[in-house]
Amino acid sequence: MKFFHLSDLHIGLKLFNRDLLEDQEYIFRQIVEKASKEKPDAVVIAGDIYDKAVPSAEAVQVFDRFISGLVQAAPEADIMMISGNHDSAPRVNVFRSVLSRQKIHMIGIPPVNPEDYIEKVTLTDEFGNVNFYLLPFVKPSAVRQIVGTDENGNPFSYNDAVHKLIRRENVNALERNVLVSHQFYVPSGCGSEEVERMDSEIRTVGNIDEVRADILNWFDYAALGHIHKPMKAGCEAYRYCGTPLACSVSEAGQQKGVLMVELADKGTLKTTVLALKPLRQVRVIRGSLQEVLGQGCNDYVSVILTDREDLDVIDMQERLRNEFPNLLEIRRETWKKADYSGNITAEADLDPFELCCSFLKELDDGDQELLRDVINTVREVR
């Protein structure tokens, strides 16, 4: 069984207000070409199809052309996708039963009622069944009718909610099973602060959305979305494929690609990264103004100037923009930092939760929990 693992397309994303639709279509055409060559049995998209819950008409058209291209390139393949935290779950879920008959499985809403279970798509090859469990992004409050609440009547944590949802499934350990999920999974023995996060990701206060990756042991492969850097969630079989295109300056220099997964008999797994080449790289160029001006290109560039002397700001910006048509930002390297004594902390060093706590003062545990919930909700809908 061969399938492509994709995630975090973020169609419609703007990078420093620069529209990336042309760049995204360029990458999608490469993915379609690879599908035409490799003829996978399935294509899996693990959430965050769009960058916003209400995508633009242009973004929807790009997605439409991408899926149409995949269907034409690999007509025998099942295409499976779930909603991520950036997506509108009801929009992704639309025509779910109709599309499934066309081998397109768009699952936007996780189980919400006691009689509901995780959507399962079963494909068969010479080694038997491969069961794909399609679990969209889960908020504990959305699944409380299934998993219940704690002793105080509050929703369970993200970790407990996801674990309880998966444990109620009748996963056949004798067959090959694949989980498609869009959550922040943390490997056992690893702290959430040890997982490198990209600037383009939505992060919750206190990492309250973390889920222990031990639950993935139920599966032969976990096709994960949410983390934008390609990485493993503990082992070779539990993978974040990352974004197919850099979504922030923090992703500069990362090799993006499609993960091709091949499952033979039970316990035999092979993963291959099919490299993708962007229309324009995201680059960070550092040096003096004169050094930087000698490196002109059409890539998306963040310039860090190391000059110690004052520069003519207007002339500097004009010269840099002429050299780099797709300039994202200009920054000056800081050589000296002010020495603030006492207990005063620079506001720039505080995250929103700490900043609010320093302003509001003397918040009890209940107030702090409410504040965290408000901040995380704002981050999710921004």
Side-chain angles (χ1 to χ4, degrees), residues 199-215:
D199 292 343
S200 52
E201 298 172 27
I202 291 178
R203 283 171 266 186
T204 61
V205 172
N207 289 312
I208 64 169
D209 60 340
E210 70 174 74
V211 179
R212 291 195 311 274
D214 58 335
I215 192 64

Side-chain angles (χ1 to χ4, degrees), residues 278-292:
L279 180 64
R280 305 174 185 88
Q281 295 279 358
V282 174
R283 299 176 56 195
V284 177
I285 299 180
R286 181 180 176 276
S288 68
L289 179 60
Q290 290 306 315
E291 291 170 339
V292 169

Side-chain angles (χ1 to χ4, degrees), residues 39-244:
K39 300 297 182 185
D41 300 295
V43 177
V44 170
I45 304 174
D48 280 354
I49 298 165
Y50 296 110
D51 189 59
K52 296 187 180 300
V54 184
S56 67
E58 292 78 12
V60 174
Q61 290 169 0
V62 168
F63 179 59
D64 177 64
R65 286 193 288 270
F66 177 44
I67 298 301
S68 297
L70 285 175
V71 170
Q72 185 173 2
E76 300 303 315
D78 280 69
I79 300 175
M80 312 177 202
M81 65 198 81
I82 59 172
S83 63
N85 56 304
H86 278 256
D87 295 311
S88 165
R91 282 186 170 85
V92 174
N93 211 65
V94 72
F95 304 130
R96 174 168 165 172
S97 60
V98 175
L99 290 172
S100 65
R101 294 197 289 270
Q102 306 302 318
K103 304 177 73 171
I104 297 177
H105 311 273
M106 293 180 63
I107 313 303
I109 299 175
V112 293
N113 298 308
E115 65 272 17
D116 297 338
Y117 287 87
I118 298 173
E119 184 80 9
K120 183 174 73 171
V121 176
T122 299
L123 304 183
T124 304
D125 63 8
E126 64 269 30
F127 298 103
N129 290 340
V130 178
N131 304 306
F132 291 82
Y133 288 84
L134 310 181
L135 180 61
F137 179 67
V138 173
K139 286 186 178 180
S141 58
V143 297
R144 63 194 304 171
Q145 290 190 49
I146 295 176
V147 302
T149 57
D150 64 19
E151 64 275 9
N152 297 317
N154 298 316
F156 282 108
S157 67
Y158 278 81
N159 178 73
D160 290 340
V162 172
H163 277 65
K164 288 176 180 292
L165 270 182
I166 293 176
R167 283 179 181 145
R168 65 196 289 270
E169 295 293 323
N170 184 25
V171 178
N172 186 345
L174 299 178
E175 296 182 340
R176 293 162 295 166
N177 300 289
V178 175
L179 176 68
V180 184
S181 179
H182 190 95
Q183 305 285 159
F184 177 30
Y185 288 96
V186 179
S188 299
C190 177
S192 55
E193 68 282 352
E194 299 175 57
V195 179
E196 185 180 4
R197 308 292 298 274
M198 301 295 101
D199 292 343
S200 52
E201 298 172 27
I202 291 178
R203 283 171 266 186
T204 61
V205 172
N207 289 312
I208 64 169
D209 60 340
E210 70 174 74
V211 179
R212 291 195 311 274
D214 58 335
I215 192 64
L216 303 180
N217 294 336
W218 286 34
F219 301 93
D220 298 272
Y221 184 81
L224 306 177
H226 194 45
I227 303 297
H228 288 184
K229 178 181 179 179
M231 62 185 295
K232 301 171 186 176
C235 74
E236 184 74 21
Y238 313 141
R239 302 284 291 264
Y240 286 101
C241 61
T243 57

Side-chain angles (χ1 to χ4, degrees), residues 327-339:
L327 182 68
L328 298 175
E329 61 174 350
I330 304 169
R331 289 189 283 157
R332 296 292 300 272
E333 187 171 70
T334 302
W335 290 92
K336 293 183 179 180
K337 293 184 179 180
D339 181 18

Side-chain angles (χ1 to χ4, degrees), residues 307-350:
D307 301 84
R308 297 196 183 196
E309 68 275 10
D310 290 336
L311 298 171
D312 183 328
V313 175
I314 296 178
D315 178 64
M316 171 191 70
Q317 290 185 348
E318 183 178 356
R319 294 171 69 186
L320 287 172
R321 294 188 187 282
N322 287 335
E323 192 78 2
F324 303 103
N326 292 302
L327 182 68
L328 298 175
E329 61 174 350
I330 304 169
R331 289 189 283 157
R332 296 292 300 272
E333 187 171 70
T334 302
W335 290 92
K336 293 183 179 180
K337 293 184 179 180
D339 181 18
Y340 296 101
S341 57
N343 296 321
I344 301 176
T345 304
E347 289 188 0
D349 294 332
L350 294 175

Side-chain angles (χ1 to χ4, degrees), residues 205 352-353 356 370-380:
V205 172
F353 176 72
C356 290
L370 178 60
L371 179 59
R372 285 192 181 94
D373 185 60
V374 170
I375 293 173
N376 290 331
T377 300
V378 171
R379 281 177 165 171
E380 289 172 354

